[in-house]
Amino acid sequence: MEKKIGFIGGGAMAEAILSGAVSKQVLAAENIFVSDHKEERCRFLQDSYGVQAAVGAEGFVSEADILVLAIKPQVAAKAMAEVQGKLKRDAVLVSIVAGLTIDSIREFFPEQKIIRVMPNTPLSVGEGMSAYALSSNTCADDAEAVRVILSSCGQAVEVKEYMLDAVTGLSGSGPAYGFLMIDALSDGGVAAGLPRATATLLAAQTLYGAAKMVLESGKHPDVLRDQVTSPAGTTIAGVRVMEQQGVRGALIDAVLAAAERSAELGRK
C-alpha cells in the first residue's frame, strides 16, 4: 500500500498496529511516522521497526494520508488542537482514543474524513479484534485501506458508531474476561493435581483452540459444544456445574456492565 501513515502517540496500541503492518508488508516502514513525547520511546520504535519517529509531529502531519490518534483521552483535545488545520484535505483521521466520538473530533476537523476504531490488546500478538465506524463522508477506498491495516494484526469489522459501546464491553474488555477464565481453569487443574505451569498451558491452549474452531469452522458454538458433550460423560458434568453457578449469566452481565460504563465515560 503506497500510503503514508502517521501516529500521534507511540504507545502499545500504535506499536502493535505499525508492527503488524510492517511484518505483513502492508506498509513500507519508511512510510510510517510516529510522534511520541519520549525520545527513548522514539529511538526504540525506530530501531525495532525501521519507522521514522520523533518528538513532535510537525515533520509529517501535512504529508500523512492517514493520521492515527493513539493517545490517552485526557490529552486528546490538546493533541487535536496542535494539528488542527495541518492535515491534507483528503487525509483520513483515525482515532483509537476511547470515548472520543466522531462528533467530538468534528469540532476540530469539520471537513476531514474520520474513522473511529475500538481495538483490543491482543493486537500486540497479532490476534487483535478491531471494530471501526465511519463518518458519513468517508469513501469506500479509505475504509478498505484502514481495514487492511487493522487486519494485519488481527481481524477488523465495520460497525455503526452507536455500537461501539457494546464493542467495548465485549471485545475491548473481553481479553480480561478471557484471562480470568484461564486463571480459574488453571486453578481447577491445580486443585485436581496438575503442576501450575502445566495447568496454565492446558487452560490457555484449550481456550485458544476452542476460539479457533469457532472462527474457522463457521459453526455455532452450541454445535461445537455438543460435539464434545457425550451423554452422561465428563463434559456434561462440568457444564452442569457451570450452569448451576450462573457462569453464562455472569459473562452476559459483565459485557452489559462494561458497555454501560463505556457509554457513561463517553458522556463525560
Side-chain angles (χ1 to χ4, degrees):
M1 186 185 304
E2 294 298 322
K3 288 183 179 292
K4 292 183 178 180
I5 182 171
F7 290 85
I8 306 295
M13 284 295 189
E15 181 183 356
I17 295 170
L18 70 85
S19 66
V22 171
S23 65
K24 296 291 179 62
Q25 298 182 333
V26 171
L27 293 169
E30 58 266 27
N31 288 335
I32 300 175
F33 304 83
V34 185
S35 168
D36 193 85
H37 66 285
K38 296 180 180 178
E39 290 186 4
E40 182 179 356
R41 181 64 177 169
C42 292
R43 287 195 297 271
F44 169 81
L45 293 173
Q46 283 192 157
D47 294 343
S48 300
Y49 305 104
V51 302
Q52 301 185 51
V55 176
E58 299 83 3
F60 66 81
V61 167
S62 62
E63 299 297 322
D65 299 302
I66 300 171
L67 184 67
V68 182
L69 298 176
I71 46 182
K72 296 184 183 299
Q74 56 266 34
V75 299
K78 179 182 178 183
M80 288 189 291
E82 289 176 351
V83 299
Q84 189 177 21
K86 297 178 181 178
L87 278 70
K88 295 194 298 185
R89 185 175 180 180
D90 62 346
V92 181
L93 185 64
V94 176
S95 171
I96 63 172
V97 182
L100 188 64
T101 65
I102 290 175
D103 283 344
S104 296
I105 299 170
R106 277 261 175 266
E107 295 178 12
F108 294 87
F109 307 95
E111 304 298 329
Q112 217 73 46
K113 293 175 286 189
I114 299 168
I115 299 180
R116 182 182 169 194
V117 181
M118 171 49 65
N120 66 9
T121 54
L123 264 71
S124 64
V125 292
E127 295 292 349
M129 185 68 240
S130 299
Y132 60 94
L134 313 176
S135 63
S136 58
N137 62 334
T138 302
C139 70
D141 287 346
D142 292 323
E144 177 63 9
V146 171
R147 186 198 66 78
V148 170
I149 292 169
L150 293 172
S151 296
S152 69
C153 46
Q155 296 202 42
V157 62
E158 181 183 348
V159 299
K160 300 295 184 183
E161 188 180 16
Y162 75 86
M163 298 177 181
L164 285 176
D165 289 324
V167 169
T168 301
L170 178 52
S171 63
S173 299
Y177 315 152
F179 299 143
L180 188 150
M181 286 187 283
I182 291 168
D183 189 39
L185 289 170
S186 177
D187 279 349
V190 171
L194 294 171
R196 170 62 69 184
T198 301
T200 300
L201 173 62
L202 289 167
Q205 180 61 31
T206 297
L207 288 188
Y208 178 77
K212 194 168 184 179
M213 285 182 71
V214 172
L215 292 172
E216 294 190 358
S217 72
K219 296 179 180 179
H220 192 281
D222 276 350
V223 173
L224 295 172
R225 186 183 64 185
D226 283 346
Q227 291 175 358
V228 74
T229 308
S230 304
T234 59
T235 303
I236 194 61
V239 169
R240 178 171 172 267
V241 172
M242 294 177 73
E243 295 288 11
Q244 288 175 335
Q245 296 297 319
V247 173
R248 181 197 301 267
L251 289 171
I252 293 171
D253 288 346
V255 173
L256 291 173
E260 290 167 4
R261 182 56 178 157
S262 176
E264 289 174 4
L265 294 173
R267 291 191 290 268
K268 290 183 178 180

